[in-house]
Amino acid sequence: MIFRTATRQDLPAVLALLAQDEDPAGAGAEAGAGAVPPPVEPVSEAHERAFAAIAEDPRNEMLVLEADGDLVGCLQLTYVPGLGQGGRERALVEAVRIRADRRGGGLGARLMELAADRARERGCGLMQLTSNKRRTAAHRFYERLGYARSHEGFKLSLP
């Protein structure tokens, strides 16, 4: 397995991973290996700008996991400074995905373990994440890894 920073060449594969769980009804989030993935949108200018912004920002990392020569997982780490935790940064985990046909084999746990190691090396005091309430299998996964339900999350869509 190879855990590394994503390159621009990885962008289509990362978007495909994200698309697996982005369907409006939420079915893809729990459907697993037998699910028919939604069509992957082409890489747009907005994707290019967002990827470049992540790559250029020292507080952001898009990370990928390769196994057997294939990109099988991704996540984004954002390092947030704060006055709590003795002034230590916290690592915010977003966009955690394992390719649907590779779930259940420990790759997700390994991806999260490697991300935690990276956050520790940076001196972070904790890792935190939010997860869509419909993703009950993901919630069980995070709890198995030792993550505790500690807060309620809120969103406000901005037009």
Side-chain angles (χ1 to χ4, degrees):
M1 260 186 294
I2 300 170
F3 180 64
R4 62 174 173 79
T5 302
T7 66
R8 167 53 190 88
Q9 289 74 26
D10 296 319
L11 187 53
V14 168
L15 292 176
L17 287 171
L18 296 176
Q20 289 181 347
D21 293 340
E22 298 282 331
D23 62 282
E30 301 300 324
V36 175
V40 176
E41 60 184 301
V43 176
S44 69
E45 280 186 46
H47 292 125
E48 296 280 3
R49 281 191 307 273
F51 185 84
I54 292 166
E56 293 168 8
D57 184 345
R59 292 198 180 280
N60 276 287
E61 297 184 287
M62 178 57 75
L63 303 166
V64 295
L65 184 66
E66 286 183 35
D68 306 320
D70 291 325
L71 197 143
V72 296
C74 68
L75 60 76
Q76 181 177 344
L77 283 180
T78 299
Y79 302 104
V80 182
L83 297 176
Q85 302 266 327
R88 295 169 72 192
E89 288 181 321
R90 66 187 61 217
L92 177 62
V93 185
E94 292 285 331
V96 178
R97 298 293 191 279
I98 294 295
R99 205 172 70 196
D101 66 333
R102 298 294 299 264
R103 293 179 189 161
L107 291 174
R110 184 68 179 137
L111 177 64
M112 293 296 287
E113 177 184 310
L114 291 165
D117 289 345
R118 197 166 188 109
R120 272 189 214 93
E121 289 168 8
R122 189 173 167 112
C124 291
L126 65 86
M127 286 181 57
Q128 66 185 35
L129 58 88
T130 60
S131 181
N132 189 300
K133 288 185 178 194
R134 296 180 298 205
R135 299 188 71 214
T136 56
H139 303 165
R140 289 189 302 272
F141 166 72
Y142 295 129
E143 287 172 338
R144 277 194 309 273
L145 296 179
Y147 286 79
R149 294 177 190 239
S150 61
H151 293 72
E152 281 289 327
F154 296 88
K155 282 186 181 182
L156 174 65
S157 292
L158 301 174

PDB file of all heavy atoms in Angstrom, residues 16-24 26-40 100-101 103:
ATOM      1  N   ALA A  16     -14.220  10.257  -8.863  1.00  0.00           N
ATOM      2  CA  ALA A  16     -15.005   9.020  -8.975  1.00  0.00           C
ATOM      3  C   ALA A  16     -15.288   8.437  -7.598  1.00  0.00           C
ATOM      4  O   ALA A  16     -16.404   7.956  -7.333  1.00  0.00           O
ATOM      5  CB  ALA A  16     -14.266   8.005  -9.853  1.00  0.00           C
ATOM      6  N   LEU A  17     -14.302   8.462  -6.704  1.00  0.00           N
ATOM      7  CA  LEU A  17     -14.527   7.975  -5.336  1.00  0.00           C
ATOM      8  C   LEU A  17     -15.596   8.817  -4.642  1.00  0.00           C
ATOM      9  O   LEU A  17     -16.493   8.267  -3.983  1.00  0.00           O
ATOM     10  CB  LEU A  17     -13.235   8.030  -4.525  1.00  0.00           C
ATOM     11  CG  LEU A  17     -12.171   6.996  -4.844  1.00  0.00           C
ATOM     12  CD1 LEU A  17     -10.876   7.325  -4.100  1.00  0.00           C
ATOM     13  CD2 LEU A  17     -12.647   5.604  -4.495  1.00  0.00           C
ATOM     14  N   LEU A  18     -15.502  10.119  -4.770  1.00  0.00           N
ATOM     15  CA  LEU A  18     -16.482  10.994  -4.127  1.00  0.00           C
ATOM     16  C   LEU A  18     -17.875  10.782  -4.693  1.00  0.00           C
ATOM     17  O   LEU A  18     -18.864  10.817  -3.960  1.00  0.00           O
ATOM     18  CB  LEU A  18     -16.055  12.453  -4.263  1.00  0.00           C
ATOM     19  CG  LEU A  18     -14.751  12.828  -3.566  1.00  0.00           C
ATOM     20  CD1 LEU A  18     -14.391  14.272  -3.871  1.00  0.00           C
ATOM     21  CD2 LEU A  18     -14.818  12.579  -2.081  1.00  0.00           C
ATOM     22  N   ALA A  19     -17.971  10.527  -5.991  1.00  0.00           N
ATOM     23  CA  ALA A  19     -19.273  10.343  -6.638  1.00  0.00           C
ATOM     24  C   ALA A  19     -19.984   9.091  -6.148  1.00  0.00           C
ATOM     25  O   ALA A  19     -21.214   9.033  -6.186  1.00  0.00           O
ATOM     26  CB  ALA A  19     -19.098  10.292  -8.155  1.00  0.00           C
ATOM     27  N   GLN A  20     -19.257   8.096  -5.680  1.00  0.00           N
ATOM     28  CA  GLN A  20     -19.896   6.861  -5.223  1.00  0.00           C
ATOM     29  C   GLN A  20     -20.892   7.116  -4.104  1.00  0.00           C
ATOM     30  O   GLN A  20     -21.842   6.376  -3.953  1.00  0.00           O
ATOM     31  CB  GLN A  20     -18.848   5.862  -4.731  1.00  0.00           C
ATOM     32  CG  GLN A  20     -18.029   5.273  -5.820  1.00  0.00           C
ATOM     33  CD  GLN A  20     -17.019   4.257  -5.308  1.00  0.00           C
ATOM     34  OE1 GLN A  20     -16.756   4.141  -4.123  1.00  0.00           O
ATOM     35  NE2 GLN A  20     -16.458   3.507  -6.221  1.00  0.00           N
ATOM     36  N   ASP A  21     -20.662   8.141  -3.303  1.00  0.00           N
ATOM     37  CA  ASP A  21     -21.525   8.393  -2.151  1.00  0.00           C
ATOM     38  C   ASP A  21     -22.263   9.719  -2.236  1.00  0.00           C
ATOM     39  O   ASP A  21     -22.751  10.214  -1.243  1.00  0.00           O
ATOM     40  CB  ASP A  21     -20.691   8.368  -0.865  1.00  0.00           C
ATOM     41  CG  ASP A  21     -20.154   6.987  -0.563  1.00  0.00           C
ATOM     42  OD1 ASP A  21     -20.708   6.010  -1.089  1.00  0.00           O
ATOM     43  OD2 ASP A  21     -19.171   6.890   0.173  1.00  0.00           O
ATOM     44  N   GLU A  22     -22.369  10.277  -3.426  1.00  0.00           N
ATOM     45  CA  GLU A  22     -22.960  11.597  -3.560  1.00  0.00           C
ATOM     46  C   GLU A  22     -24.371  11.588  -4.141  1.00  0.00           C
ATOM     47  O   GLU A  22     -24.920  12.634  -4.386  1.00  0.00           O
ATOM     48  CB  GLU A  22     -22.074  12.472  -4.459  1.00  0.00           C
ATOM     49  CG  GLU A  22     -20.705  12.712  -3.909  1.00  0.00           C
ATOM     50  CD  GLU A  22     -20.658  13.763  -2.822  1.00  0.00           C
ATOM     51  OE1 GLU A  22     -21.497  14.673  -2.838  1.00  0.00           O
ATOM     52  OE2 GLU A  22     -19.771  13.661  -1.964  1.00  0.00           O
ATOM     53  N   ASP A  23     -24.979  10.413  -4.345  1.00  0.00           N
ATOM     54  CA  ASP A  23     -26.299  10.429  -4.960  1.00  0.00           C
ATOM     55  C   ASP A  23     -27.310  11.066  -4.017  1.00  0.00           C
ATOM     56  O   ASP A  23     -27.202  10.968  -2.808  1.00  0.00           O
ATOM     57  CB  ASP A  23     -26.727   9.015  -5.371  1.00  0.00           C
ATOM     58  CG  ASP A  23     -26.831   8.085  -4.192  1.00  0.00           C
ATOM     59  OD1 ASP A  23     -25.780   7.615  -3.714  1.00  0.00           O
ATOM     60  OD2 ASP A  23     -27.965   7.855  -3.751  1.00  0.00           O
ATOM     61  N   PRO A  24     -28.300  11.795  -4.562  1.00  0.00           N
ATOM     62  CA  PRO A  24     -29.209  12.575  -3.742  1.00  0.00           C
ATOM     63  C   PRO A  24     -30.004  11.756  -2.731  1.00  0.00           C
ATOM     64  O   PRO A  24     -30.309  12.226  -1.659  1.00  0.00           O
ATOM     65  CB  PRO A  24     -30.159  13.237  -4.755  1.00  0.00           C
ATOM     66  CG  PRO A  24     -29.600  12.982  -6.101  1.00  0.00           C
ATOM     67  CD  PRO A  24     -28.543  11.932  -5.986  1.00  0.00           C
ATOM     68  N   GLY A  26     -28.965   9.147  -1.214  1.00  0.00           N
ATOM     69  CA  GLY A  26     -28.074   8.584  -0.211  1.00  0.00           C
ATOM     70  C   GLY A  26     -27.881   7.092  -0.341  1.00  0.00           C
ATOM     71  O   GLY A  26     -27.224   6.471   0.486  1.00  0.00           O
ATOM     72  N   ALA A  27     -28.411   6.466  -1.387  1.00  0.00           N
ATOM     73  CA  ALA A  27     -28.319   5.018  -1.523  1.00  0.00           C
ATOM     74  C   ALA A  27     -26.891   4.546  -1.676  1.00  0.00           C
ATOM     75  O   ALA A  27     -26.516   3.512  -1.134  1.00  0.00           O
ATOM     76  CB  ALA A  27     -29.151   4.549  -2.721  1.00  0.00           C
ATOM     77  N   GLY A  28     -26.091   5.286  -2.399  1.00  0.00           N
ATOM     78  CA  GLY A  28     -24.711   4.879  -2.619  1.00  0.00           C
ATOM     79  C   GLY A  28     -23.893   4.846  -1.356  1.00  0.00           C
ATOM     80  O   GLY A  28     -22.910   4.127  -1.257  1.00  0.00           O
ATOM     81  N   ALA A  29     -24.294   5.606  -0.360  1.00  0.00           N
ATOM     82  CA  ALA A  29     -23.537   5.670   0.882  1.00  0.00           C
ATOM     83  C   ALA A  29     -23.538   4.345   1.611  1.00  0.00           C
ATOM     84  O   ALA A  29     -22.620   4.031   2.343  1.00  0.00           O
ATOM     85  CB  ALA A  29     -24.112   6.765   1.782  1.00  0.00           C
ATOM     86  N   GLU A  30     -24.564   3.556   1.439  1.00  0.00           N
ATOM     87  CA  GLU A  30     -24.669   2.297   2.161  1.00  0.00           C
ATOM     88  C   GLU A  30     -24.704   1.085   1.249  1.00  0.00           C
ATOM     89  O   GLU A  30     -24.653  -0.038   1.715  1.00  0.00           O
ATOM     90  CB  GLU A  30     -25.955   2.303   3.015  1.00  0.00           C
ATOM     91  CG  GLU A  30     -26.011   3.419   4.026  1.00  0.00           C
ATOM     92  CD  GLU A  30     -24.874   3.382   5.033  1.00  0.00           C
ATOM     93  OE1 GLU A  30     -24.448   2.285   5.421  1.00  0.00           O
ATOM     94  OE2 GLU A  30     -24.408   4.455   5.419  1.00  0.00           O
ATOM     95  N   ALA A  31     -24.793   1.307  -0.048  1.00  0.00           N
ATOM     96  CA  ALA A  31     -25.042   0.195  -0.952  1.00  0.00           C
ATOM     97  C   ALA A  31     -23.873  -0.761  -1.082  1.00  0.00           C
ATOM     98  O   ALA A  31     -24.063  -1.946  -1.287  1.00  0.00           O
ATOM     99  CB  ALA A  31     -25.440   0.726  -2.330  1.00  0.00           C
ATOM    100  N   GLY A  32     -22.649  -0.263  -0.994  1.00  0.00           N
ATOM    101  CA  GLY A  32     -21.481  -1.138  -1.014  1.00  0.00           C
ATOM    102  C   GLY A  32     -21.143  -1.675  -2.378  1.00  0.00           C
ATOM    103  O   GLY A  32     -21.425  -1.076  -3.400  1.00  0.00           O
ATOM    104  N   ALA A  33     -20.554  -2.870  -2.389  1.00  0.00           N
ATOM    105  CA  ALA A  33     -19.941  -3.417  -3.590  1.00  0.00           C
ATOM    106  C   ALA A  33     -20.919  -3.674  -4.719  1.00  0.00           C
ATOM    107  O   ALA A  33     -20.558  -3.592  -5.870  1.00  0.00           O
ATOM    108  CB  ALA A  33     -19.188  -4.698  -3.246  1.00  0.00           C
ATOM    109  N   GLY A  34     -22.170  -4.001  -4.443  1.00  0.00           N
ATOM    110  CA  GLY A  34     -23.117  -4.318  -5.495  1.00  0.00           C
ATOM    111  C   GLY A  34     -23.755  -3.106  -6.132  1.00  0.00           C
ATOM    112  O   GLY A  34     -24.499  -3.226  -7.083  1.00  0.00           O
ATOM    113  N   ALA A  35     -23.491  -1.932  -5.623  1.00  0.00           N
ATOM    114  CA  ALA A  35     -24.142  -0.723  -6.106  1.00  0.00           C
ATOM    115  C   ALA A  35     -23.622  -0.334  -7.479  1.00  0.00           C
ATOM    116  O   ALA A  35     -22.462  -0.505  -7.785  1.00  0.00           O
ATOM    117  CB  ALA A  35     -23.913   0.424  -5.130  1.00  0.00           C
ATOM    118  N   VAL A  36     -24.520   0.202  -8.288  1.00  0.00           N
ATOM    119  CA  VAL A  36     -24.117   0.767  -9.570  1.00  0.00           C
ATOM    120  C   VAL A  36     -23.707   2.205  -9.293  1.00  0.00           C
ATOM    121  O   VAL A  36     -24.511   2.999  -8.807  1.00  0.00           O
ATOM    122  CB  VAL A  36     -25.281   0.719 -10.582  1.00  0.00           C
ATOM    123  CG1 VAL A  36     -24.895   1.406 -11.867  1.00  0.00           C
ATOM    124  CG2 VAL A  36     -25.711  -0.713 -10.813  1.00  0.00           C
ATOM    125  N   PRO A  37     -22.447   2.550  -9.555  1.00  0.00           N
ATOM    126  CA  PRO A  37     -22.011   3.911  -9.238  1.00  0.00           C
ATOM    127  C   PRO A  37     -22.686   4.925 -10.138  1.00  0.00           C
ATOM    128  O   PRO A  37     -22.991   4.635 -11.295  1.00  0.00           O
ATOM    129  CB  PRO A  37     -20.500   3.867  -9.486  1.00  0.00           C
ATOM    130  CG  PRO A  37     -20.270   2.703 -10.357  1.00  0.00           C
ATOM    131  CD  PRO A  37     -21.395   1.736 -10.129  1.00  0.00           C
ATOM    132  N   PRO A  38     -22.935   6.133  -9.614  1.00  0.00           N
ATOM    133  CA  PRO A  38     -23.508   7.176 -10.452  1.00  0.00           C
ATOM    134  C   PRO A  38     -22.482   7.609 -11.487  1.00  0.00           C
ATOM    135  O   PRO A  38     -21.297   7.370 -11.314  1.00  0.00           O
ATOM    136  CB  PRO A  38     -23.804   8.306  -9.457  1.00  0.00           C
ATOM    137  CG  PRO A  38     -22.871   8.062  -8.320  1.00  0.00           C
ATOM    138  CD  PRO A  38     -22.649   6.583  -8.268  1.00  0.00           C
ATOM    139  N   PRO A  39     -22.947   8.254 -12.569  1.00  0.00           N
ATOM    140  CA  PRO A  39     -21.979   8.725 -13.560  1.00  0.00           C
ATOM    141  C   PRO A  39     -21.032   9.745 -12.922  1.00  0.00           C
ATOM    142  O   PRO A  39     -21.440  10.548 -12.090  1.00  0.00           O
ATOM    143  CB  PRO A  39     -22.840   9.372 -14.643  1.00  0.00           C
ATOM    144  CG  PRO A  39     -24.222   9.442 -14.097  1.00  0.00           C
ATOM    145  CD  PRO A  39     -24.304   8.582 -12.886  1.00  0.00           C
ATOM    146  N   VAL A  40     -19.779   9.682 -13.330  1.00  0.00           N
ATOM    147  CA  VAL A  40     -18.776  10.596 -12.807  1.00  0.00           C
ATOM    148  C   VAL A  40     -18.767  11.836 -13.676  1.00  0.00           C
ATOM    149  O   VAL A  40     -18.675  11.743 -14.903  1.00  0.00           O
ATOM    150  CB  VAL A  40     -17.386   9.936 -12.796  1.00  0.00           C
ATOM    151  CG1 VAL A  40     -16.327  10.915 -12.335  1.00  0.00           C
ATOM    152  CG2 VAL A  40     -17.404   8.699 -11.924  1.00  0.00           C
ATOM    153  N   ALA A 100     -15.909   1.381  -3.508  1.00  0.00           N
ATOM    154  CA  ALA A 100     -16.986   0.498  -3.051  1.00  0.00           C
ATOM    155  C   ALA A 100     -16.617  -0.983  -3.140  1.00  0.00           C
ATOM    156  O   ALA A 100     -16.926  -1.761  -2.232  1.00  0.00           O
ATOM    157  CB  ALA A 100     -18.271   0.768  -3.840  1.00  0.00           C
ATOM    158  N   ASP A 101     -15.940  -1.387  -4.202  1.00  0.00           N
ATOM    159  CA  ASP A 101     -15.608  -2.806  -4.350  1.00  0.00           C
ATOM    160  C   ASP A 101     -14.447  -3.249  -3.471  1.00  0.00           C
ATOM    161  O   ASP A 101     -14.110  -4.423  -3.434  1.00  0.00           O
ATOM    162  CB  ASP A 101     -15.328  -3.143  -5.820  1.00  0.00           C
ATOM    163  CG  ASP A 101     -14.081  -2.468  -6.360  1.00  0.00           C
ATOM    164  OD1 ASP A 101     -13.697  -1.382  -5.855  1.00  0.00           O
ATOM    165  OD2 ASP A 101     -13.481  -3.007  -7.309  1.00  0.00           O
ATOM    166  N   ARG A 103     -14.294  -2.090  -0.076  1.00  0.00           N
ATOM    167  CA  ARG A 103     -14.685  -1.875   1.312  1.00  0.00           C
ATOM    168  C   ARG A 103     -14.779  -3.200   2.065  1.00  0.00           C
ATOM    169  O   ARG A 103     -15.048  -4.231   1.488  1.00  0.00           O
ATOM    170  CB  ARG A 103     -16.033  -1.143   1.377  1.00  0.00           C
ATOM    171  CG  ARG A 103     -15.939   0.267   0.857  1.00  0.00           C
ATOM    172  CD  ARG A 103     -17.258   0.989   0.900  1.00  0.00           C
ATOM    173  NE  ARG A 103     -17.121   2.265   0.196  1.00  0.00           N
ATOM    174  CZ  ARG A 103     -18.130   2.954  -0.265  1.00  0.00           C
ATOM    175  NH1 ARG A 103     -19.360   2.525  -0.109  1.00  0.00           N
ATOM    176  NH2 ARG A 103     -17.905   4.089  -0.884  1.00  0.00           N
TER     177      ARG A 103
END
